[in-house]
Amino acid sequence: MIAVKLRQEDICGEAEFLQAVEEEYDYWFLEDVPESAKIKYRLQGFLFPETYAITKDMTARDIVTLMLDQFDKTITADMKKKAESLDTTMFEVVTEASIIERETMVDSERVTVAGVIKNRLEKGMLLQMCPTALYPITDGIYDKNTVTYEDTKVDSPYNTYVNKGLPIGPIACPGLES
């Protein structure tokens, strides 16, 4: 979605941006991103959603760095310690938060969605979250609003209707509320 917006604003091409998100960046929170996982977009979830002052002379890498810097400023040491105390990685936290972000746009519902995810994970249940089925179908664009029965059967490591636990990676870039 970011790549499309940058193209529409004539900042950079989609391919240029998608190439930039596959490059190496030196941030502590990227250390948890599994190298071997077949994640669609390596930096998905870590490009912090914010209002940015982007100029036409910025490169795609400059924009990615700007967004990663914002993630780094937003996620505090206390948040990192909390994740560690729960024996979870920042990658897993962001993956779960990305589901919450796509599941509801209403801040007051985020706690409820988080509770549903927590309870289902603890019970070993399938999460069965619609955005995880839509992510592979729409290539992360989410230009389809309804999930059909057939959609829930899509063979993808992101689809929590057919795979237990969290998807293999984030399905969106979550905001701080998620």
Side-chain angles (χ1 to χ4, degrees), residues 93-153:
V93 169
V94 170
T95 300
E96 186 172 335
S98 73
I99 297 170
I100 296 166
E101 185 74 21
R102 290 304 309 177
E103 189 69 30
T104 183
M105 303 295 179
V106 180
D107 285 345
S108 63
E109 295 176 354
R110 294 183 198 283
V111 171
T112 302
V113 173
V116 169
I117 292 171
K118 179 181 180 283
N119 290 338
R120 289 180 184 176
L121 288 172
E122 286 177 353
K123 292 177 181 177
M125 296 172 61
L126 292 170
L127 291 181
Q128 296 182 321
M129 297 288 178
C130 293
T132 67
L134 288 178
Y135 181 76
I137 292 168
T138 66
D139 197 27
I141 301 293
Y142 295 103
D143 54 357
K144 180 178 180 180
N145 293 324
T146 57
V147 177
T148 67
Y149 177 75
E150 288 304 312
D151 294 339
T152 66
K153 301 300 179 198

Side-chain angles (χ1 to χ4, degrees), residues 20-159:
V21 298
E22 293 304 319
E23 294 174 10
E24 291 297 319
Y25 296 87
D26 187 25
Y27 292 89
W28 65 269
F29 49 85
L30 296 178
E31 294 169 6
D32 294 335
V33 178
E35 293 295 325
S36 62
K38 293 182 174 27
I39 300 166
K40 180 90 174 136
Y41 301 110
R42 185 172 170 272
L43 298 181
Q44 180 83 59
F46 298 100
L47 302 174
F48 198 80
E50 185 63 83
T51 301
Y52 294 99
I54 296 174
T55 59
K56 294 204 183 266
D57 65 329
M58 294 178 81
T59 67
R61 185 172 177 91
D62 292 338
I63 296 166
V64 170
T65 300
L66 185 67
M67 298 177 90
L68 292 173
D69 284 347
Q70 187 62 43
F71 185 97
D72 193 33
K73 290 177 201 167
T74 303
I75 304 305
T76 66
D78 285 343
M79 291 175 186
K80 182 180 178 185
K81 285 181 188 174
K82 178 69 173 178
E84 291 168 353
S85 75
L86 295 171
D87 197 30
T88 189
T89 66
M90 190 53 60
F91 182 74
E92 292 167 327
V93 169
V94 170
T95 300
E96 186 172 335
S98 73
I99 297 170
I100 296 166
E101 185 74 21
R102 290 304 309 177
E103 189 69 30
T104 183
M105 303 295 179
V106 180
D107 285 345
S108 63
E109 295 176 354
R110 294 183 198 283
V111 171
T112 302
V113 173
V116 169
I117 292 171
K118 179 181 180 283
N119 290 338
R120 289 180 184 176
L121 288 172
E122 286 177 353
K123 292 177 181 177
M125 296 172 61
L126 292 170
L127 291 181
Q128 296 182 321
M129 297 288 178
C130 293
T132 67
L134 288 178
Y135 181 76
I137 292 168
T138 66
D139 197 27
I141 301 293
Y142 295 103
D143 54 357
K144 180 178 180 180
N145 293 324
T146 57
V147 177
T148 67
Y149 177 75
E150 288 304 312
D151 294 339
T152 66
K153 301 300 179 198
V154 69
D155 183 21
S156 169
Y158 286 98
N159 185 358

